[in-house]
Amino acid sequence: MVLNIKVITNAKQNRVEKIGDDNFKVYITQKPEKGKANKKVLELLAEYLDISKSRLIIRLGEKNKNKKIEII
């Protein structure tokens, strides 16, 4: 299953918002520096979906605010 994610950085709080079946907005307080934002996105999504973080892989958008993340 592939999820479409829009990342909003420099948010006031960390949260995940479901906007469709496979579409999410992820708000993070991190700045997009040295992969820290991607780590936080995966962490928040794993917690929201109640799965292990190791089951999530960024397939597209490593350096973009729009990402495709696969659940394996």
Side-chain angles (χ1 to χ4, degrees), residues 5-9 61-67:
I5 309 296
K6 182 168 184 176
V7 179
I8 312 314
T9 56
E62 187 87 21
K63 295 184 177 188
N64 195 322
K65 66 180 178 178
N66 295 310
K67 303 180 183 305

Side-chain angles (χ1 to χ4, degrees), residues 38-53:
N38 285 337
K39 286 182 183 179
K40 191 64 176 178
V41 167
L42 294 177
E43 198 176 286
L44 287 171
L45 267 177
E47 185 179 319
Y48 180 84
L49 298 170
D50 197 28
I51 60 174
S52 171
K53 189 169 92 170

Side-chain angles (χ1 to χ4, degrees), residues 10-28:
N10 297 321
K12 291 184 180 182
Q13 63 181 5
N14 294 318
R15 67 186 172 101
V16 176
E17 180 181 311
K18 187 172 184 173
I19 56 174
D21 289 340
D22 297 332
N23 299 310
F24 295 85
K25 278 190 182 178
V26 178
Y27 297 83
I28 58 171

